Amino acid sequence: MLPNIVRMTLITWSMLFLLMGCTSFHSSNEVKVTSEMNELISDYIIQHYEGVYPESDKQFEVHKIYGAKETGEMTSIYLYSLFQGFNKSTEAEGQSGHSVPAVIKLKSKDGKYVISHYKEPQDGADFKRSLYKIFPRQYAKEALDDLKNSAGLQKEMNQKAEMWLRK
């Protein structure tokens, strides 16, 4: 009986150390998204969708970051993006656009970041499955909840449009 208790204790402690090691590894590769990265993301998404939607006077993109992880020279950023085009004639009423979760990968090159990859989940019936393929589970769950209200980004989008109209 005593050897079984010792064995169980050793297994339990081993599992605890293993889990602690995984947790510290998990958090060690998380990075903070800088204002430079945020600006690069918005600029890229606006440029990426140029010509996709009907022409508008001005396009804006705002996003919510779920998290970012660094692997080597590559930084993966998991986000929810809201993109809209506006016309002066219709003022702050968005004319076209989308809201979607996405993963964007940045590569550090000569002290600056460049976009190396951008991916959104598939549309339609495969949306949820493909979201879980490109997002870590915790971020995918949050993104699914955010679908209902565009991640709460509409107010920020409206502010950008109103500032533009005042110029």
Side-chain angles (χ1 to χ4, degrees):
M1 180 86 169
L2 187 58
N4 282 340
I5 292 174
V6 170
R7 185 179 315 150
M8 290 303 287
T9 303
L10 285 173
I11 290 172
T12 302
W13 280 105
S14 297
M15 293 294 281
L16 284 172
F17 284 122
L18 181 63
L19 286 173
M20 287 185 338
C22 288
T23 302
S24 65
F25 174 76
H26 173 72
S27 62
S28 68
N29 64 353
E30 293 214 9
V31 295
K32 181 171 174 21
V33 177
T34 66
S35 58
E36 174 193 1
M37 293 169 156
N38 277 311
E39 190 174 329
L40 180 64
I41 290 167
S42 288
D43 291 347
Y44 176 83
I45 292 172
I46 290 168
Q47 184 178 23
H48 182 74
Y49 281 98
E50 187 176 335
V52 172
Y53 293 107
E55 192 173 322
S56 56
D57 296 332
K58 183 72 173 168
Q59 302 79 39
F60 296 105
E61 189 278 341
V62 293
H63 53 267
K64 173 183 177 180
I65 302 290
Y66 296 117
K69 297 185 186 212
E70 192 171 73
T71 308
E73 293 180 5
M74 195 73 65
T75 302
S76 299
I77 302 173
Y78 304 93
L79 58 98
Y80 194 101
S81 172
L82 175 60
F83 170 89
Q84 286 186 316
F86 295 88
N87 290 322
K88 291 244 184 208
S89 62
T90 55
E91 298 186 348
E93 183 181 323
Q95 298 304 297
S96 59
H98 68 264
S99 67
V100 66
V103 61
I104 195 161
K105 295 187 180 195
L106 309 179
K107 187 172 184 173
S108 180
K109 190 174 185 178
D110 299 327
K112 293 221 175 232
Y113 288 103
V114 293
I115 306 291
S116 67
H117 183 76
Y118 176 80
K119 187 160 180 95
E120 298 171 354
Q122 295 175 355
D123 271 343
D126 288 334
F127 179 82
K128 188 174 179 180
R129 184 182 55 75
S130 65
L131 176 65
Y132 275 93
K133 277 187 170 182
I134 64 172
F135 268 46
R137 185 174 271 314
Q138 78 230 39
Y139 302 148
K141 288 174 109 175
E142 194 174 346
L144 286 172
D145 287 342
D146 282 341
L147 285 173
K148 298 172 201 126
N149 68 356
S150 297
L153 294 167
Q154 192 61 55
K155 184 177 179 181
E156 185 180 348
M157 178 64 74
N158 292 347
Q159 289 171 342
K160 278 191 167 192
E162 287 168 9
M163 283 177 47
W164 168 67
L165 288 166
R166 284 188 221 137
K167 290 182 180 178

